[in-house]
Amino acid sequence: MKAIARLLITMLALILTAKIVPGISIGSLGAGFWAALILALVNTFIKPIFTLFTLPLTILSFGLFLFVINGFMLLLTASLVANFHVSGLLAAIFGSIILSVINSFMLDVLYD
């Protein structure tokens, strides 16, 4: 049940992020649901591999390169989901930051 709640919260956070960030758009609620599901899978399986391979760069940048990795994960999700579009890496990085803030706030409200 918690996984479904987290997925729905992520979907809502993605829709809010698309309203805030100019370079991100979601065509429908279904696209938002699939984007949230694919983003969760990408973050679970692919992001750790990227993080491991870019560990030296992440250390040299004092962790700031993780923002770029998060942006790439959002771009990858957009390339896999129809009706979900991210215009470029800068929009993806900014969108991933906004998405993280919204998602954290909503999960804190839900689980507190």
Side-chain angles (χ1 to χ4, degrees):
M1 191 66 179
K2 283 186 178 183
I4 294 171
R6 288 181 63 93
L7 186 64
L8 292 175
I9 286 172
T10 303
M11 180 185 80
L12 184 59
L14 269 171
I15 292 170
L16 288 173
T17 301
K19 299 275 185 204
I20 295 171
V21 179
I24 299 175
S25 64
I26 297 178
S28 66
L29 250 107
F33 174 78
W34 286 110
L37 181 65
I38 298 297
L39 184 62
L41 292 172
V42 163
N43 282 337
T44 300
F45 295 111
I46 297 175
K47 183 179 176 185
I49 296 168
F50 270 64
T51 304
L52 184 65
F53 283 141
T54 60
L55 190 60
L57 189 56
T58 303
I59 291 170
L60 285 174
S61 68
F62 299 108
L64 293 176
F65 192 71
L66 289 173
F67 290 125
V68 176
I69 293 173
N70 287 336
F72 276 124
M73 297 303 110
L74 198 59
L75 276 173
L76 178 61
T77 301
S79 70
L80 295 173
V81 177
N83 292 329
F84 177 50
H85 179 72
V86 179
S87 64
L89 185 60
L90 192 59
I93 292 171
F94 185 60
S96 70
I97 293 169
I98 299 295
L99 178 65
S100 296
V101 169
I102 293 172
N103 214 1
S104 296
F105 175 74
M106 293 172 89
L107 287 173
D108 282 347
V109 168
L110 178 70
Y111 290 121
D112 277 346

